[in-house]
Amino acid sequence: MEQIRKLKGGELFDLLRIVDKLDLDLAEIKELLFDNDDNVDVNDDKAVKERGVAIMDYFLKIILSKGETLRGPINELFAKLCNTTVEEIESLDYDVYLKLYSEFYQVLDLKAFFALLKLPVFQAS
């Protein structure tokens, strides 16, 4: 199995399908990702790490609470990104599977992705 590759444009729709299943609180995400940017010095490794931990904690809680709903779509996306099958992804050892999650968040530019969700077309009316 290959390492996880960078996302391509067409996979935006896979991500949107996953996001839809998450029932995310976009206001909370906006606060985590955007509202406090002025307060985090990008040269302060500790502050940047703390922000990253807060964001990952938020997503991990949601993913864990909706695991069965997300399992299929996430494994399908991982299979695409690793150029393999869903069956191979599901048969990975636990530590290798967790490493995929870690690599995924490194590949995905969360701020850019959720900036897209701020577009009017994605806003509830």
Side-chain angles (χ1 to χ4, degrees), residues 1-63:
M1 182 178 73
E2 295 180 20
Q3 264 192 325
I4 202 163
R5 64 166 169 75
K6 290 196 177 257
L7 293 163
K8 295 183 180 178
E11 286 145 356
L12 168 66
F13 300 102
D14 296 319
L15 288 173
L16 290 173
R17 185 173 72 145
I18 291 168
V19 167
D20 182 53
K21 292 181 182 296
L22 287 172
D23 294 325
L24 295 175
D25 179 348
L26 293 180
E28 188 169 351
I29 291 171
K30 180 179 179 248
E31 181 180 325
L32 285 170
L33 295 174
F34 301 102
D35 287 350
N36 297 316
D37 279 353
D38 293 336
N39 299 331
V40 176
D41 178 0
V42 295
N43 297 315
D44 181 349
D45 289 340
K46 183 180 177 187
V48 170
K49 185 175 181 176
E50 286 174 1
R51 171 69 62 86
V53 167
I55 292 168
M56 293 307 297
D57 182 57
Y58 175 78
F59 283 107
L60 185 59
K61 285 178 185 173
I62 291 172
I63 289 169

Side-chain angles (χ1 to χ4, degrees), residues 56-91:
M56 293 307 297
D57 182 57
Y58 175 78
F59 283 107
L60 185 59
K61 285 178 185 173
I62 291 172
I63 289 169
L64 290 174
S65 71
K66 300 189 180 286
E68 204 50 44
T69 303
L70 297 171
R71 180 179 168 181
I74 288 174
N75 286 341
E76 289 170 17
L77 180 58
F78 282 177
K80 282 183 185 179
L81 296 176
C82 294
N83 196 32
T84 190
T85 65
V86 172
E87 292 77 19
E88 185 176 353
I89 294 295
E90 290 178 347
S91 70

Side-chain angles (χ1 to χ4, degrees), residues 93-110:
D93 289 339
Y94 177 76
D95 57 333
V96 175
Y97 191 82
L98 288 180
K99 184 179 175 197
L100 273 182
Y101 269 96
S102 175
E103 288 179 20
F104 175 71
Y105 287 109
Q106 291 172 14
V107 168
L108 174 62
D109 181 352
L110 289 174

